[in-house]
Amino acid sequence: MMLNDLQSALAVHNQWLPLEVAAPDRQTIGGIVATRAMSAARAGFGSVRDWLIGLAVVGGDGQLVRGGGKVVKNVSGYDLPKLYCGSWGTLGIITEAAFKLAPLPRHTKTLLALVSGDRNSEEALDSLLGTVHPTSTHLLNGAAARDILGLDAEDAQYLAVRFAGAEIDVEFLAGKAAAALAPYAASVLDLPSGIAMKLNAALRDFSLNDSPLSVRYNILSSQVGAFSRMIEWTANKAGMSAAVCTECRTGVVYAQIRPHRDGAGWAEYYPSFRDKSDRVGGSMVIERMPDEWRDMGTPVWSPLLPEFELMRAIKQALDPKGIFNPGRFVGGL
């Protein structure tokens, strides 16, 4: 089942599964669980792990294994579904999934703030997030803004701030957010609903935009402004451009790197690229890479932490013959 089809069935009863993953018309429920797909509204509503309460999985011995259940708070001991969520199909084949649900938000509002490119976005973010907790808060650099908003977007930083919930709460919080951003922004726009829907869909699907190199970083939320500029500066120095889109409250940063010319020096770019990730002590997943990096054996997931040995032991216990997606996950699991 595709996520969109599930949401349509739930909407009849004013319910939804609070996940906003890229391309919901093409992502299956099993695939979303197996990859622990990122949700654009994770800061406000949580991730797929937070809503998953039960699974049925075909294991390495061909037996059907069930974990969790169909009601909330029925698990004692280890919550087995969480183990399979994000395992990329390397531990078994997911055949059923059970979720808790939430009421559909009755009202949404999106603000778009323009922050000067020569000012620190941390000031605006500190003021905003110290005042309210939005459903989502996306920071776009100039290149990302042009991808999403159009070629005439100013070369500046943009903050897209969204609230969802009861109308009285949304209006109150949006007002406080606009006041918190006003001292740091050239303008704070209250977007019409149609434009807001298109913007939020584009933010949700940003990682699917075409580029030779697409990377997802996970860093401290307090570092996102400086890190976004550092990624952009490093790409420019190498003769490339970087479109950077960040969910500020969760510290999830998407960067899409494109060369200014054919025959770009991808191999020469890698050391400085990797240095930026190591410097902040975060982690990264390379979602698309140029052929030169693939030929170099560039790891998709990094860094490889000591906990990897535990992951290897779990893989050996649940899939001793190595038949499920061999080599697909961290460290070649």
Side-chain angles (χ1 to χ4, degrees), residues 276-304:
K276 300 303 175 288
S277 175
D278 293 342
R279 186 179 297 184
V280 298
S283 63
M284 68 178 182
V285 180
I286 301 178
E287 300 192 341
R288 287 190 300 279
M289 70 173 73
D291 290 339
E292 290 89 334
W293 283 19
R294 199 176 304 279
D295 294 341
M296 291 163 51
T298 303
V300 173
W301 282 271
S302 61
L304 194 63

Side-chain angles (χ1 to χ4, degrees), residues 78 83 91 309-320:
Y78 187 78
L83 179 65
L91 302 179
E309 292 305 319
L310 177 59
M311 295 174 65
R312 192 200 302 275
I314 293 173
K315 169 71 172 176
Q316 178 61 32
L318 297 181
D319 182 23

Side-chain angles (χ1 to χ4, degrees), residues 4-333:
N4 261 4
D5 294 333
L6 174 62
Q7 302 289 34
S8 296
L10 296 175
V12 175
H13 305 282
N14 290 316
Q15 300 283 307
W16 75 312
L17 178 59
L19 299 176
E20 297 182 1
V21 301
D25 58 328
R26 304 202 306 270
Q27 289 220 52
T28 65
I29 298 298
I32 289 169
V33 174
T35 61
R36 199 182 61 156
M38 298 300 298
S39 172
R42 177 183 168 189
F45 292 110
S47 69
V48 62
R49 286 171 57 91
D50 300 311
W51 296 96
L52 180 70
I53 59 174
L55 275 184
V57 182
V58 175
D61 57 0
Q63 299 296 311
L64 186 66
V65 178
R66 292 187 180 274
K70 296 184 179 180
V71 295
V72 180
K73 294 185 179 178
N74 72 332
V75 175
S76 60
Y78 187 78
D79 192 356
L80 192 63
K82 301 297 192 291
L83 179 65
Y84 290 93
C85 183
S87 64
W88 283 82
T90 58
L91 302 179
I93 299 173
I94 298 171
T95 60
E96 296 178 18
F99 301 92
K100 55 185 177 181
L101 303 175
L104 272 171
R106 293 183 176 273
H107 190 66
T108 62
K109 183 178 284 289
T110 300
L111 305 178
L112 185 64
L114 177 63
V115 181
S116 174
D118 58 4
R119 293 194 63 171
N120 286 331
S121 55
E122 285 89 344
E123 296 174 337
L125 285 170
D126 287 347
S127 178
L128 172 69
L129 301 181
T131 305
V132 294
H133 292 90
T135 300
S136 64
T137 308
H138 286 90
L139 174 67
L140 307 174
N141 75 338
R146 286 188 288 276
D147 283 351
I148 292 176
L149 303 174
L151 294 177
D152 58 346
E154 293 186 40
D155 190 14
Q157 302 172 88
Y158 291 79
L159 274 171
V161 185
R162 179 164 56 114
F163 298 91
E167 182 174 0
I168 188 170
D169 295 333
V170 167
E171 294 295 338
F172 174 74
L173 293 173
K176 293 190 69 175
L181 288 170
Y184 308 98
S187 62
V188 181
L189 304 177
D190 182 351
L191 298 181
S193 60
I195 296 175
M197 287 180 63
K198 292 180 180 179
L199 171 61
N200 290 317
L203 292 170
R204 179 198 67 198
D205 295 345
F206 179 81
S207 62
L208 303 180
N209 292 347
D210 185 41
S211 65
L213 175 60
S214 182
V215 187
R216 186 182 81 229
Y217 298 95
N218 292 274
I219 64 173
L220 293 175
S221 58
S222 59
Q223 299 175 327
V224 295
F227 187 77
S228 174
R229 291 192 299 277
M230 184 167 62
I231 290 296
E232 183 177 13
W233 179 84
T234 303
N236 290 339
K237 187 178 179 182
M240 304 183 185
S241 64
V244 186
C245 177
T246 301
E247 210 303 312
C248 302
R249 287 181 60 196
T250 58
V252 176
V253 181
Y254 282 99
Q256 296 184 338
I257 315 297
R258 305 176 182 114
H260 292 315
R261 63 187 185 281
D262 293 334
W266 286 110
E268 294 80 6
Y269 176 59
Y270 181 74
S272 58
F273 166 85
R274 177 61 186 270
D275 171 70
K276 300 303 175 288
S277 175
D278 293 342
R279 186 179 297 184
V280 298
S283 63
M284 68 178 182
V285 180
I286 301 178
E287 300 192 341
R288 287 190 300 279
M289 70 173 73
D291 290 339
E292 290 89 334
W293 283 19
R294 199 176 304 279
D295 294 341
M296 291 163 51
T298 303
V300 173
W301 282 271
S302 61
L304 194 63
L305 301 176
E307 291 82 358
F308 173 72
E309 292 305 319
L310 177 59
M311 295 174 65
R312 192 200 302 275
I314 293 173
K315 169 71 172 176
Q316 178 61 32
L318 297 181
D319 182 23
K321 296 181 181 179
I323 61 175
F324 293 123
N325 259 0
R328 182 64 180 87
F329 201 21
V330 178
L333 285 183

